Amino acid sequence: MTIDEILENFALLDDWEDRYRYVIELGKALPALPDELRTDANKVRGCASQVWLASDLIPGAAGRVLALQGDSDAHIVRGLVAILFALYQGKSPAEA
C-alpha cells in the first residue's frame, strides 16, 4: 500500500476510533519479522513497546533502494511501522 492510498483512506474516516482501528489494520498486514532479525542491533531504544526495525540496500531499477522489515509487540506501533514503510520502502537513500 502506498502512502497516498493510506492518506486517502485516512481522510475518509471521521472518527478517531476508526482511524485508530485503521492504523492497527495496516500493522496486521505487515509480513512477519524473521526471528533472526529480532536482535539488539535492530531493537528501537527508548520506546515503551518492543519495536524492531531492519533495513538493507538492495538493487533496484534506478540503483540501490531500501528494503525494510519490522515488527512490534504493540498493535498501534506495528501500524505506525507499516506507515513508515509506505513512506520509505523501495526508495533510494537520496529519496528517503
Side-chain angles (χ1 to χ4, degrees):
M1 181 164 286
T2 68
I3 192 62
D4 290 334
E5 291 171 324
I6 292 171
L7 289 172
E8 284 177 23
N9 291 337
F10 211 74
L12 296 173
L13 303 171
D14 295 327
D15 186 338
W16 72 268
E17 289 178 352
D18 291 337
R19 290 178 175 177
Y20 186 86
R21 280 190 286 274
Y22 178 63
V23 172
I24 290 172
E25 289 302 316
L26 290 172
K28 288 181 181 179
L30 275 181
L33 183 69
D35 286 337
E36 62 268 14
L37 293 178
R38 293 175 186 266
T39 64
D40 283 339
N42 291 334
K43 193 168 186 179
V44 175
R45 305 269 181 250
C47 189
S49 49
Q50 295 204 61
V51 184
W52 296 269
L53 296 174
S55 64
D56 201 1
L57 288 173
I58 61 171
R64 295 169 55 111
V65 296
L66 292 169
L68 304 169
Q69 296 181 73
D71 196 8
S72 176
D73 63 346
H75 295 296
I76 191 72
V77 175
R78 190 171 162 87
L80 295 173
V81 168
I83 293 170
L84 176 75
F85 291 178
L87 283 167
Y88 296 108
Q89 188 78 269
K91 295 198 175 174
S92 71
E95 291 175 302

